[in-house]
């Protein structure tokens, strides 16, 4: 299954990737628009959607991925203004965001949605706009955060079986303000993309940069952004979305070969798409479909999702409907 969050509606929609069939949508309570921060569990059974923010706390709603999808149980509350979420396992998720007390600190927490419980909270100190991913070893947590000097970095945390978070102290400074961070299959490497239209790949053991790659949008004006990325199931390819300009600008999807052990990027293929016209910290704009044959990319301006061939990036199909209105984020499982 796949889950799509739209900027101009309170709904999230579910669709079946192999048939591109929309299964239905569900409205998120107390969110008038912008139900776009979403997370779909790896087994495709449950999704998590960021809800309303009140008094510096954020509600996380659970969505049962049925036909149609429905809200499940009671929302979980986390103690900060959440900007991103990632799955540890079928029990636990990790979220990150800004401290609501005015100190400007970055908080990361573990939560068990089934128990409506926030388990642990770790303060990473001053920073802004954090984004998070959890590697498939279910213990390595990557947090990318903006800030001054060493605060602009990707940091490595660990989470244990009791959902307790620990800062390892390992990190590297990024070449630009991060927009998104992703761990590759196998947990040995990752990629971070930034607001300068640049991607950096790295190894997780040492947190050393392997490659710094200028993307298609890099250097094409005052607003050249890299938004997000996704890997195929074997980690041999990574797909990156970037864009340049305002509402009349250009968006790009690029496919690079990738070494999931060393983090080294290989040759790339490029596709022009409709522009993404705003910053999208923590939002996933591209997802690899079942068996790795297709990728799915949100086209915000045209209220649709592009289905592209995973090798050539040629268009195979489009997905649209009343529940997809200015789509930004997409999560796909079945890899």
């Amino acid at each position: 299954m796949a889950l799509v969050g739209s900027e101009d509606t309170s709904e999230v929609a579910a669709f079946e990737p192999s048939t591109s069939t929309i299964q239905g949508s569900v409205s998120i309570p107390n969110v008038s628009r912008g139900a776009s921060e979403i997370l779909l569990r790896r087994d495709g059974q449950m999704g998590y959607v960021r809800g309303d923010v009140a008094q510096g706390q954020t509600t996380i709603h659970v969505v049962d991925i049925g036909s149609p999808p429905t809200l499940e149980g009671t929302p979980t509350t986390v103690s900060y203004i959440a900007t991103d979420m990632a799955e540890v396992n079928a029990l636990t998720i990790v979220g990150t965001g800004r401290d609501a007390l005015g100190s400007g600190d970055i908080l990361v927490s573990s939560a068990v949605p089934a128990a409506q419980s926030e388990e642990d909270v770790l303060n990473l100190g001053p920073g802004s706009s954090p984004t998070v991913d959890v590697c498939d070893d279910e213990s390595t947590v990557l947090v990318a955060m903006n800030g001054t000097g060493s605060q602009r970095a990707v940091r490595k945390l660990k989470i244990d079986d009791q959902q307790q978070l620990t800062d390892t102290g390992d990190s590297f400074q990024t070449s630009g303000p991060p927009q998104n961070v992703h761990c590759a299959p196998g947990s040995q490497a990752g990629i971070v993309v930034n607001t300068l239209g640049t991607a950096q790949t790295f190894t997780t053991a040492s947190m050393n940069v392997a490659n710094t790659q200028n993307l298609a949008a890099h250097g094409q004006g005052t607003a050249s952004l890299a938004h997000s990325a996704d890997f195929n199931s074997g980690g041999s390819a990574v797909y990156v979305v970037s864009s340049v300009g305002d509402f009349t600008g250009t968006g790009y999807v690029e496919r690079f070969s990738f070494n999931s052990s060393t983090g080294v990027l290989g040759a790339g293929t490029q596709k022009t798409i409709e522009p993404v016209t705003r910053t999208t910290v923590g939002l996933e704009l591209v997802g690899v479909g079942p068996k790795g044959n297709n990728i799915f990319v949100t086209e915000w301006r045209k209220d649709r999702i592009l289905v592209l061939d995973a090798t050539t990036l040629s268009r195979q199909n489009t997905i649209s409907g009343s529940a997809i209105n200015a789509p930004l984020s997409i999560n796909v499982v079945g890899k």
Side-chain angles (χ1 to χ4, degrees), residues 73-265:
T74 303
T76 302
T77 299
V78 294
S79 55
Y80 47 86
I81 301 172
T83 54
D84 199 11
M85 300 178 288
E87 178 190 6
V88 180
N89 50 48
L91 175 71
T92 307
I93 65 172
V94 167
T96 187
R98 181 174 57 83
D99 183 5
L101 300 179
S103 67
D105 286 353
I106 299 303
L107 300 183
V108 182
S109 78
S110 59
V112 178
Q116 297 94 48
S117 174
E118 187 176 41
E119 298 295 310
D120 190 28
V121 181
L122 187 64
N123 190 320
L124 297 185
S128 63
S129 304
T131 177
V132 65
D133 198 17
V134 179
C135 296
D136 56 17
D137 62 7
E138 299 185 354
S139 65
T140 302
V141 180
L142 303 172
V143 180
M145 48 192 279
N146 194 15
T148 303
S150 62
Q151 297 167 359
R152 180 184 291 175
V154 178
R155 298 172 64 169
K156 183 172 73 172
L157 316 180
K158 286 291 185 178
I159 185 168
D160 63 22
D161 292 341
Q162 286 71 48
Q163 294 84 47
Q164 300 300 295
L165 291 157
T166 304
D167 188 353
T168 68
D170 298 323
S171 67
F172 68 89
Q173 289 184 247
T174 61
S175 59
Q179 288 279 86
N180 231 315
V181 65
H182 309 272
C183 192
S187 306
Q188 297 184 65
I191 188 169
V192 59
V193 298
N194 63 48
T195 60
L196 302 181
T198 301
Q200 289 179 289
T201 59
F202 57 92
T203 55
T204 59
S206 58
M207 297 299 284
N208 288 332
V209 173
N211 284 123
T212 299
Q213 174 71 45
N214 290 336
L215 301 170
H218 176 77
Q220 294 194 46
T222 57
S224 57
L225 303 170
H227 297 280
S228 68
D230 196 20
F231 294 93
N232 65 2
S233 59
S236 61
V238 61
Y239 301 85
V240 188
V241 176
S242 64
S243 69
V244 61
D246 54 16
F247 290 93
T248 60
T250 304
Y252 303 95
V253 181
E254 292 175 89
R255 178 195 186 277
F256 297 96
S257 59
F258 187 76
N259 186 315
S260 59
S261 297
T262 64
V264 173
L265 285 172

